Amino acid sequence: MLLRTAHARFVIGMLVLTAAFYALPEYRMYTWAAIGLSAAAAVLVGVRKHKPSRRLPWWLLAGVLVSFTAGDTTYNILTDHLHQENPFPCLADGFYLASYPLLAAALLIFIRARSGSGNRAALLDALVPTAGLGLLSWVFLIAPYVRDTDLTIMEKLTSVSYPLGDVLALAMLLRLLIAPGRKPLAITVLGAGVSGLLVTDVLYGLRQLAGTWATGGPTDAGWVFFYAAIGVCALHPSMTQLTLDRQTAPVAVHASGRRIALMSFAALIAPVMLLVEDLRNEVHDALVIAVACASMFLLVIARVVDLLRAQREAGARERALREAGALLVAASTEKDAAAALRQAVDDLVPDGEPYRLHFVAEDFFGDTPPPHLAVMVEVASLPESLAAEFAGFEFALHATVLGSGRTATSPARSKQTYLAAAPGRLHSLRPSFDALMAQGAMAIGRIGLTDEVSRRSSEDYFRTLVQSASDVILIVGGDEEIRYASPSAEHVFGRPELVGSPLTGLFAGTDHAELRDLLSRAHLGRGRQDGIDLTAIRADGRLLQVESGCRDLRDDPTVNGYVLTMRDVTERRQLENDLTHQAFHDGLTGLANRVLFQNRLEHAAVRAENDGSTIGVLFVDLDDFKEVNDTLGHAVGDQLLIAVGERITRAIGPLNTAARTGGDEFAVLVEHAAGPDDVDELAGLIVAALGVPVEVGDGAGGTHVVSGNASIGVATTAEAGSTSELQRQADLAMYLAKGEGKNTWQRYRGDLHSGVVERLELRAALNDAAAAGQFVLRYQPIVELGSEDVVGLEALVRWEHPTRGLLGPDQFIDLAEENGSIVAIGNAVLREALRAFVGWREAAPDRPMRYVSVNVSARQFRTPGFVAQVRDALAETGARPEWLLLEITESLVLRDAEKVWADLRELREWGVRIAIDDFGTGYSSLSYLRQMPVDVLKIDKSFIDDILHSDEQLALVEAIVSLARTLKLAVVAEGIEHRDHHDVLLRLGCPYGQGYLFSRPVPPDQVTAWLAPEAVVS
């Protein structure tokens, strides 16, 4: 109550003095001095009441307040009584400036008391924002004074000293606030007060530079807040915690979100200031900004180096703990365990750092085992004999490891472990030391248990010793009957009483032979006797995996039986099985992966070689899977892969292996085939199963029906001599199936090997052909059937192969579609055709040739940015949009219609015309045709060939022409090879046509012949 009264009196007094300061201007000198001295008196009262462990910093804070007050009083006397006008510099400045080192010294003592002097991370974190805010102080407060030519050297030095003092105080404040640990209220109040001082000083400096400073303004309230905050801080009981040595080593500083935000803001100050000065064309502080940037960069690098070093040390500690665990497991005596602990500590402590590890054996009489967690102790507080062992060290970690359990007549033996080193190193090693002591406790407990079994004859004592052990310990007689079970057996097996029951009753019948073999090895003293996994059965019928070990102590009269130790490892083995499954199975489909497939193939090949059976390998590759991903998204693609994997698994049955070996690639191993025909039949079943459309979800509530068609390559050991050759043949056969039109399967045949290899070589060469300029264009005229004038040209691509000569599109277009090079080829054809057509139009602007027609594949059209590529090609070549006709297929507009139609409408809005190529061979309905954003229908050659001999074909062509006329679409008949075709089509009202009757596709230099006046193709 008294303290709350002191708080209230002080706060009320400060409010009264502040009100008097503003209300009575003629007494401001006296009220201001009263405010400062009251705060200093409050600090002295707080020190006397709470008696902090270190009083010096509080006296320094009182000195700060007195110094500030002396400066204010001196200044007021000089101006109000001696009538000096703005005396500067003067004695008052000396008092003001003296307060900054006093404040910094007080904060430094608080920092050392709370977190020591070695917390490098906290120091670096404090320096980064200090450097940034110091730069602001330079730009806005220091630099104007430095560049002011009207000031003397002494005036400049005095003016600059104020912001430098603020920067010093800011650095100390940030270091104090960033120090880890729980912060008492006194620190919060102190930080708020110092922050108020710094902000007020900045405002004072800015107003001085602007010439608007006047005593008695709102800025003075900031200094009043500083005085009041220091007083309240000293009067609060938590002030004693600011100088309480609670930590003996630095605490790790973690990068919280607010700290990262603060450091990021500070790091951006320098570039922002440089940008602002550059925008104003007033770059005066480039050197200072560069130094600030370099300083912050070096500070951040130093912080990163600390983090990397800490990470390396953590990795070394983890490795040392693993190695120690292995040594402790192998230890058979306490001496071995101590040696393992010494080796582990030596690995944990960095090379070159002094340390000392000491073990002390003591009797333990308590009922509750002491914890093995380490505590930090002062060496000076240890017994004299122990303190002598750690001469030269100030602190040590102390942990207790309990040895053999006590009886009514003898105590337990405990191992007191002490590790002395530098305080910082002890703190960083403490978690690892705790883990190491836990491992040591387990090892010593195990060793002690084994010793007690062989040394003690009393079963009651033995039960007391092991009753808290989690591992099950059984003593079994030569008749395999359980004679003793540790209390943990009831928890593990769920059976309240095991003594007298047969050992085999605890285990599954399938493991009885392995159990007897373990007992036999223990009896003979040969072979593996530890780490044997057996399947146990709980009383509730649940199966357990137990790791078992056995020792034959039948010759020991105190035991007279086999000692079995068992540990429940069910969850651990389940985790190991899960990890093993993930290592050998595909994460998406759950099928075997490439590694497991290869392993089973190798084993199957060995069996086939021994028994003469036939094995087969099927390589399955989805057709046009990339289009599914590109058009419908990867979520749909993943669902399709899962469905395909399920269908393949159902088709091949449980005796064969299905695997996913790549993105859209699967493999099937047929192990039990009677002959190659069985493998062929299985391939046909898979093709049929995948040929049924798949309905999949897109993850957003929508569904899509997609094709799972695949090409399958088949190979058997009847043709292959090794597993690698078997897989290579299946791969070649798969590519042969791709070339046969997809959605089929092909068996490898030796006579087709060269053809498949040639196809693969062409496919590989396509990747570089476009860049090498190996594709050339041929142009076929599109004529008006009535006048036979050339009204357009269709650009047709050919491959000028360096070794095979000129190749037609039927030899490489499908391959280009497969490997994606069709996109590059299509872009090159589009640009070259437009460039050539622009030249011909400029050469003969009066000729009726109006456009050039370019084929666009579905894959090229669906490529993101295709519409922009067309626009760029038109702009690059200078072609007008109406000069371009893009030919697409019906399948393109039927799949993903909404997106495709939107792109088509955008192209038509520019003036580009759209044609449906090979019309009539697709599946478009009349309703679709009416809505399609197209301009031209091109009747496929297959309809034209039979119009002279088939009334049905003639009627069909007539219907197409009539339909196009109704829908106001132009019609071009393809493949006109005879004059009779020409006459019939003209009579049916078909306006345009192309074919060998008029001209074969010709090189560009022959097109100029059609540009001559009155030229008609023939």
Side-chain angles (χ1 to χ4, degrees), residues 393-738:
F393 295 96
E394 184 179 359
F395 294 97
L397 287 176
H398 172 221
T400 301
V401 178
L402 189 63
S404 303
R406 67 179 180 87
T407 64
T409 58
S410 63
R413 298 293 291 171
S414 65
K415 308 299 184 293
Q416 307 294 326
T417 306
Y418 296 88
L419 172 62
R425 180 56 56 194
L426 290 178
H427 180 79
S428 64
L429 290 179
R430 186 170 180 173
S432 302
F433 191 71
D434 287 340
L436 186 62
M437 289 302 100
Q439 293 181 350
M442 293 179 61
I444 292 176
R446 176 180 56 81
I447 293 169
L449 180 61
T450 303
D451 292 343
E452 289 298 321
V453 168
S454 63
R455 189 171 58 88
R456 299 286 183 176
S457 59
S458 172
E459 186 174 331
D460 292 338
Y461 180 82
F462 177 73
R463 181 180 297 109
T464 303
L465 181 66
V466 300
Q467 64 182 354
S468 60
S470 60
D471 291 355
V472 176
I473 300 174
L474 301 178
I475 297 179
V476 180
D479 57 356
E480 298 185 4
E481 184 177 288
I482 299 174
R483 296 171 47 198
Y484 170 80
S486 63
S488 57
E490 180 178 354
H491 172 71
V492 173
F493 295 107
R495 302 173 188 268
E497 184 57 53
L498 292 176
V499 176
S501 61
L503 177 64
T504 54
L506 296 178
F507 299 94
T510 55
D511 284 3
H512 287 176
E514 181 69 20
L515 175 63
R516 292 191 174 93
D517 188 45
L518 174 61
L519 297 175
S520 175
R521 289 197 298 270
H523 172 66
L524 298 175
R526 296 197 301 266
R528 184 181 175 193
Q529 302 174 32
D530 291 304
I532 306 300
D533 276 11
L534 298 173
T535 302
I537 305 176
R538 280 180 52 89
D540 56 9
R542 184 161 56 91
L543 298 181
L544 301 176
Q545 286 292 113
V546 293
E547 187 178 77
S548 307
C550 182
R551 294 290 183 272
D552 184 5
L553 299 180
R554 290 180 297 172
D555 295 334
D556 188 332
T558 61
V559 179
N560 191 25
Y562 295 100
V563 177
L564 278 81
T565 58
M566 286 173 284
R567 176 178 301 168
D568 184 2
V569 293
T570 305
E571 293 184 0
R572 187 198 308 172
R573 294 295 182 263
Q574 180 62 46
L575 177 60
E576 292 172 354
N577 292 337
D578 292 342
L579 293 177
T580 301
H581 184 274
Q582 293 175 13
F584 291 101
H585 290 79
D586 176 51
L588 177 64
T589 62
L591 301 179
N593 60 13
R594 187 184 296 274
V595 176
L596 181 57
F597 179 82
Q598 184 68 33
N599 178 267
R600 292 186 178 178
L601 177 59
E602 296 291 347
H603 284 82
V606 172
R607 289 195 301 271
E609 184 177 358
N610 293 334
D611 58 20
S613 60
T614 299
I615 63 173
V617 169
L618 282 66
F619 276 5
V620 183
D621 187 89
L622 297 185
D623 297 334
D624 304 321
F625 177 73
K626 187 177 186 305
E627 289 190 17
V628 176
N629 272 344
D630 292 345
T631 58
L632 300 179
H634 289 275
V636 174
D638 289 346
Q639 294 300 314
L640 176 58
L641 292 173
I642 294 173
V644 168
E646 293 173 349
R647 291 188 180 187
I648 292 176
T649 301
R650 288 195 298 268
I652 66 176
L655 299 181
N656 302 309
T657 299
R660 181 183 176 215
T661 57
D664 61 345
E665 299 173 352
F666 297 82
V668 176
L669 172 62
V670 184
E671 299 188 51
H672 304 283
D677 291 342
D678 287 354
V679 181
D680 294 346
E681 182 181 355
L682 193 58
L685 290 175
I686 296 175
V687 169
L690 300 182
V692 179
V694 183
E695 182 176 351
V696 296
D698 57 9
T703 59
H704 302 271
V705 177
V706 295
S707 170
N709 291 340
S711 300
I712 302 178
V714 181
T716 66
T717 49
E719 299 90 6
S722 64
T723 57
S724 59
E725 185 178 0
L726 183 64
Q727 295 179 82
R728 183 179 60 83
Q729 290 180 358
D731 195 37
L732 292 174
M734 186 268 290
Y735 279 106
L736 181 62
K738 288 281 188 185

Side-chain angles (χ1 to χ4, degrees), residues 200-215:
T200 305
D201 284 352
V202 170
L203 295 176
Y204 168 74
L206 294 175
R207 296 191 64 180
Q208 280 281 34
L209 288 173
T212 60
W213 166 252
T215 304

